[in-house]
Amino acid sequence: MSDTVKVALVTGGSSGIGAGVARRLAASGVKVVVADIAEPADVRCDVSVLDDNLRAVDYVMKEHGRLDLAFLNAGVASGCGVGEDFDVALYRRAMGVNLDGVVFGAHAAIPALKASGGGVIVATASMAGIVGIPLDPIYAANKHAVVGLIRSLGVALAPDGIRVQALCPSFADTAILGDARVLLEAEGFPIMEVDEVVDAFEKVVASEGTGECWFVVPGRPSEPFAFRRAPGPR
Ligand SMILES: NC(=O)c1ccc[n+]([C@@H]2O[C@H](COP(=O)([O-])OP(=O)(O)OC[C@H]3O[C@@H](n4cnc5c(N)ncnc54)[C@H](O)[C@@H]3O)[C@@H](O)[C@H]2O)c1
């Protein structure tokens, strides 16, 4: 892990990818604060609530006096589609956790990162932020939004010495897969171990870029996804 990271905040760190990252950070000597709605968490934080994010960062600053890395990782599957299976409460929840959670988390972390002389924000987007997902269009929509946010913030926060990166995993072996696991296994689609995503996270933190979206796909070394240049005016 990068030598410059002394204190980290991990949202959604009570299970899955967040827990794996929290363990790896702690093992390399980083002081880690886990913020989650589920146990075990150092601070209870519903990332879809702005005040909870502010409180989580306050807790980090009171406990450890600085913040070097904010891993904005909490996320949920949407649980509904846009047609007959639409459910406005599930839609709001998915957008609230997966998109608001990253916006609010970044908003809360930026002053603390600045006060610490700069740092890194890593958001867990998904490959669903890069390609369309017919099985869960709402999840794809909020993950695409996170990708757009990170690509934009990378440039916007460069003058403050804050790098902003997205981690875009394919399917990994965590609770979020739910019933989709059976479908994936039937299709023979490889499901990654959490550790493979954590390895990619380490590469992202050690990288020097900003505004990048690193894919994490079975059997391929992780690297920033190469977006095509958009056509400019002629
Ligand atoms: N596992 C995959 O296949 C996969 C692939 C791509 C992206 N992701 C993303 O990875 C991230 C982590 O998910 P995971 O796979 O580890 O699943 P997970 O279900 O194991 O972990 C998600 C964590 O987020 C927490 N959480 C949920 N709602 C929250 C809220 N409102 N406030 C705070 N915490 C909340 C949960 O309690 C849990 O600890 C998510 O953003 C997910 O979308 C997962």
Side-chain angles (χ1 to χ4, degrees):
M1 203 61 66
S2 164
D3 294 343
T4 55
V5 178
K6 296 183 174 64
V7 179
L9 171 68
V10 178
T11 73
S14 296
S15 71
I17 294 167
V21 162
R23 275 195 301 272
R24 186 81 64 92
L25 285 166
S28 65
V30 176
K31 300 222 168 6
V32 182
V33 170
V34 168
D36 203 305
I37 48 170
E39 295 292 328
D42 300 295
V43 54
R44 193 191 182 278
C45 168
D46 179 343
V47 295
S48 68
V49 177
L50 176 58
D51 278 354
D52 279 19
N53 290 272
L54 296 169
R55 216 159 31 83
V57 173
D58 276 352
Y59 178 90
V60 173
M61 295 306 271
K62 282 197 186 102
E63 286 292 309
H64 302 297
R66 61 183 295 121
L67 178 65
D68 306 295
L69 166 65
F71 183 38
L72 307 177
N73 161 78
V76 291
S78 66
C80 76
V82 178
E84 285 178 2
D85 53 349
F86 184 64
D87 179 309
V88 72
L90 289 177
Y91 168 67
R92 291 282 177 225
R93 174 170 175 264
M95 299 308 277
V97 178
N98 294 2
L99 176 56
D100 297 355
V102 179
V103 174
F104 295 166
H107 172 71
I110 287 166
L113 293 167
K114 272 193 200 175
S116 308
V120 192
I121 295 172
V122 180
T124 310
S126 170
M127 282 305 287
I130 294 175
V131 299
I133 304 291
L135 276 177
D136 196 344
I138 289 170
Y139 185 77
N142 55 54
K143 294 297 186 177
H144 271 70
V146 170
V147 162
L149 179 75
I150 282 354
R151 295 178 74 192
S152 310
L153 278 180
V155 177
L157 296 181
D160 296 315
I162 301 173
R163 295 191 305 110
V164 190
Q165 300 278 59
L167 196 63
C168 297
S170 169
F171 298 106
D173 188 11
T174 73
I176 208 172
L177 290 187
D179 297 341
R181 173 192 303 278
V182 180
L183 292 176
L184 291 168
E185 282 169 354
E187 293 288 325
F189 200 95
I191 299 175
M192 294 180 290
E193 296 298 325
V194 165
D195 265 354
E196 295 175 72
V197 184
V198 180
D199 291 344
F201 169 86
E202 280 196 314
K203 280 176 79 172
V204 170
V205 172
S207 70
E208 292 183 349
T210 192
E212 296 169 336
C213 301
W214 287 59
F215 60 79
V216 190
V217 172
R220 291 182 187 273
S222 287
E223 56 183 68
F225 180 69
F227 290 94
R228 285 189 67 177
R229 283 186 60 173
R234 265 198 196 145

